[in-house]
Amino acid sequence: MVEQIDLTKEEVRGPRNLSRLLKQSLDSSHLELLRTVSAAASSQGIDIYVVGGFVRDLLLESVSVDYDLVVEGDAIKLGRMLTKNNGGSLTVHRRFGTAKWYLSAKLKSETGVSDLDLVSARTESYERPTALPEVKHGTINLDLHRRDFSVNTLAISLQSHDFGDLLDPWGGLKDIEEKCLRVLHSQSFVDDPTRVLRAVRLEQRLGFRLEDHTAELMDSALPLVDRVSGDRIWHEIEKTFGEESPETILARLDEIGVTGVLHSALSDQVDSWLVERFKDARERISRETLPVIYFALWLYRMRWKDIKAVSRRLKVTSVIMRVLQQTERVRGEIHVLKELSKPSEVARVLDGISKVTLLVIGLAEDESVSENIRRYDDKYRHVKPTFSGLELQERGVSHGPRIGAILRRVRSAWLDGDISDTTEEEELVQELLIEKRQRS
Ligand code: ATP
């Protein structure tokens, strides 16, 4: 249990050294890992800090293991040294001066951490709104200033001589105490309007409120969200779907008017129907599958024309698009699944539909539909004729669509109980072959 931290205490407010809090909150293997990184940085004569969400969450007593490390120097060179001395592998991004160190299997199993992000302190300037920024090397203070909200601008020094010292150049600690989200300058949302979505996500996750001026700036920047590329918006939406309760974030995006800017059909989709389904989805579905399920449910009640437009706008992947297309196809025949239809009819509608799409339909529709899906999944999908196409060819059916048609008829007969053993199946095949000869 982590001891409650009193942010007004001298040790935090004065020298503001958080090494005691770090020791209390982190596993010893993690402290060891931070010390290893710190020693490597010090041998290269550079300063290193853990920054951003980790520090914010540490102060809020919810420790994350997502370490963002910033060095005043060459992060790629540091990454190379860490890999050489401790194993693992490295990927680098020269343009941004960043590296990702993938820990060796041994370190990973000791710490549970798979990788560390190493970033060279940098500054960014935006040539024009919504464009990608120009990047230059900078100091830690300037690096912290390029961040979205003050609560993400805190850093903890990992140097051995001041290990644990808190850096708070932009007033982040006060805003954490006051539970308030504040941008660092009035152009922030204009420079990068995805911060509007990030603000709402953090506000809802942390239970913080937007500082008044920040709310005003956000409101004026809303139309700019329209100019952000689909993949960047999708990235933020996907992150939203990784949160505990994405429905509250979507509702807030509605309230502020962000969804409407993205596409008019996206507004006002959050109601008790959707909330109930999101909750059901969380109880039944694994974390990795949830984002696509949430997305398909969010769009479930829209017209196909709008679903296509929204998906194009958000540049969703072909895998997600396929789920949406299949959902639409099944919805077109949903009456079959709502009734006590013959098994062969249910199979006709559901054959070829992916498991994920079946989950979406099962969550969205009522119990009679779920029951049919369950029967299909448990039983019908496994029913096959004992005959193969090759055997039919040996009996004189020429290669082509006829073979498929006969096999389907035989499968339907098995499914509907019209035949129940191989003798009856053989009789049916004979009948179908005669029928075929008479027709041709
Ligand atoms: P968390 O803060 O909980 O880690 P997150 O997973 O969205 O949220 P990342 O996307 O990993 O955070 O970003 C790490 C840090 O980079 C954030 O703490 C934030 O300060 C900064 N950051 C990310 N995106 C932006 C942005 N669009 N503008 C400015 N700063 C950003």
Side-chain angles (χ1 to χ4, degrees):
M1 178 70 194
V2 175
E3 190 183 297
Q4 172 93 24
I5 180 157
D6 177 358
L7 296 174
T8 57
K9 265 191 190 164
E10 175 65 11
E11 70 177 285
V12 180
R13 280 233 160 269
R16 291 181 179 174
N17 187 287
L18 299 186
S19 55
R20 193 160 63 89
L21 183 63
L22 279 171
K23 277 184 205 137
Q24 282 171 349
S25 315
L26 297 190
D27 200 87
S28 59
S29 65
H30 286 218
L31 277 174
E32 190 53 36
L33 180 65
L34 292 181
R35 290 200 192 277
T36 301
V37 177
S38 153
S42 126
S43 77
Q44 295 190 341
I46 53 180
D47 289 346
I48 183 159
Y49 304 86
V50 56
V51 303
F54 171 84
V55 185
R56 178 199 69 215
D57 292 345
L58 180 78
L59 291 167
L60 290 169
E61 292 180 54
S62 89
V63 180
S64 78
V65 290
D66 203 3
Y67 297 104
D68 286 321
L69 298 166
V70 173
V71 298
E72 280 184 328
D74 188 344
I76 297 176
K77 194 169 150 211
L78 175 64
R80 293 224 165 91
M81 181 173 195
L82 285 166
T83 315
K84 186 163 165 251
N85 295 348
N86 305 279
S89 60
L90 197 73
T91 55
V92 302
H93 263 108
R94 293 216 162 278
R95 179 173 177 250
F96 293 107
T98 62
K100 200 184 253 295
W101 176 34
Y102 292 94
L103 272 58
S104 66
K106 179 170 171 284
L107 265 181
K108 188 176 166 189
S109 84
E110 279 167 16
T111 58
V113 176
S114 61
D115 53 76
L116 287 183
D117 278 321
L118 303 164
V119 174
S120 305
R122 64 187 198 239
T123 57
E124 291 175 348
S125 52
Y126 291 78
E127 285 256 308
R128 57 188 165 80
T130 75
L132 285 176
E134 170 136 352
V135 179
K136 288 200 194 101
H137 277 288
T139 59
I140 180 75
N141 281 5
L142 287 176
D143 187 278
L144 295 172
H145 193 255
R146 75 184 166 82
R147 285 158 198 274
D148 42 10
F149 309 106
S150 66
V151 295
N152 289 334
T153 62
L154 294 158
I156 298 176
S157 168
L158 298 183
Q159 276 68 251
S160 48
H161 65 274
D162 58 2
F163 189 89
D165 267 8
L166 181 70
L167 260 76
D168 178 19
W170 309 109
L173 187 58
K174 182 166 171 288
D175 287 334
I176 290 184
E177 287 175 299
E178 290 176 5
K179 295 188 179 300
C180 147
L181 284 181
R182 181 173 58 81
V183 284
L184 300 182
H185 55 90
S186 57
Q187 279 292 101
S188 187
F189 291 118
V190 177
D191 285 345
D192 181 358
T194 58
R195 289 172 187 162
V196 171
L197 287 108
R198 295 181 61 80
V200 174
R201 186 152 56 82
L202 265 189
E203 174 201 61
Q204 296 301 308
R205 188 209 296 167
L206 302 176
F208 280 22
R209 64 175 181 85
L210 291 173
E211 175 258 349
D212 291 348
H213 186 48
T214 297
E216 279 164 25
L217 293 169
M218 185 157 112
D219 195 44
S220 347
L222 273 193
L224 293 175
V225 173
D226 191 35
R227 285 159 53 177
V228 179
S229 69
D231 18 353
R232 293 191 71 208
I233 299 281
W234 176 249
H235 180 71
E236 290 303 327
I237 304 259
E238 238 185 342
K239 287 199 147 200
T240 296
F241 289 148
E243 296 283 337
E244 292 269 304
S245 158
E247 60 273 22
T248 57
I249 301 174
L250 296 182
R252 181 79 168 122
L253 288 171
D254 269 352
E255 187 187 24
I256 293 173
V258 183
T259 42
V261 172
L262 291 174
H263 191 283
S264 56
L266 275 178
S267 311
D268 301 326
Q269 293 294 326
V270 185
D271 53 9
S272 56
W273 183 92
L274 194 74
V275 170
E276 235 173 77
R277 266 127 197 110
F278 271 32
K279 284 187 180 154
D280 270 3
R282 272 198 291 283
E283 278 170 21
R284 297 204 229 150
I285 289 161
S286 69
R287 239 185 131 72
E288 313 82 71
T289 318
L290 269 178
V292 51
I293 303 264
Y294 281 144
F295 186 61
L297 287 171
W298 193 25
L299 271 51
Y300 196 82
R301 291 167 296 168
M302 290 181 196
R303 290 174 305 175
W304 179 237
K305 172 170 131 323
D306 290 329
I307 294 176
K308 276 195 297 185
V310 167
S311 308
R312 257 198 311 273
R313 171 68 184 97
L314 301 182
K315 286 225 175 70
V316 300
T317 62
S318 55
V319 175
I320 296 178
M321 202 57 222
R322 216 166 74 90
V323 170
L324 297 176
Q325 280 161 343
Q326 289 190 347
T327 305
E328 184 63 15
R329 200 168 97 202
V330 176
R331 276 183 54 193
E333 297 207 74
I334 202 75
H335 59 278
V336 173
L337 305 180
K338 283 191 171 169
E339 291 153 16
L340 238 170
S341 303
K342 283 189 187 176
S344 61
E345 273 296 285
V346 173
R348 182 183 59 74
V349 175
L350 296 182
D351 274 345
I353 300 297
S354 72
K355 292 248 181 195
V356 173
T357 310
L358 292 183
L359 288 171
V360 172
I361 312 252
L363 284 160
E365 297 290 341
D366 59 25
E367 189 46 36
S368 56
V369 173
S370 304
E371 191 49 41
N372 270 321
I373 292 178
R374 253 195 305 279
R375 285 197 200 111
Y376 174 80
D377 223 18
D378 294 346
K379 234 161 89 194
Y380 308 162
R381 74 152 80 236
H382 309 292
V383 174
K384 304 249 157 57
T386 67
F387 267 83
S388 71
L390 205 64
E391 282 169 282
L392 290 174
Q393 272 178 285
E394 282 165 9
R395 288 173 178 230
V397 186
S398 50
H399 184 76
R402 276 243 146 245
I403 293 186
I406 293 175
L407 290 174
R408 271 196 298 280
R409 290 272 297 271
V410 177
R411 179 170 179 243
S412 294
W414 276 112
L415 280 167
D416 296 342
D418 297 338
I419 56 174
S420 52
D421 57 36
T422 49
T423 316
E424 286 175 359
E425 185 188 46
E426 174 60 34
E427 282 166 15
L428 176 63
V429 172
Q430 292 293 350
E431 270 170 41
L432 293 172
L433 289 174
I434 292 168
E435 200 178 285
K436 179 211 155 251
R437 271 187 223 115
Q438 283 169 348
R439 274 209 213 143
S440 54

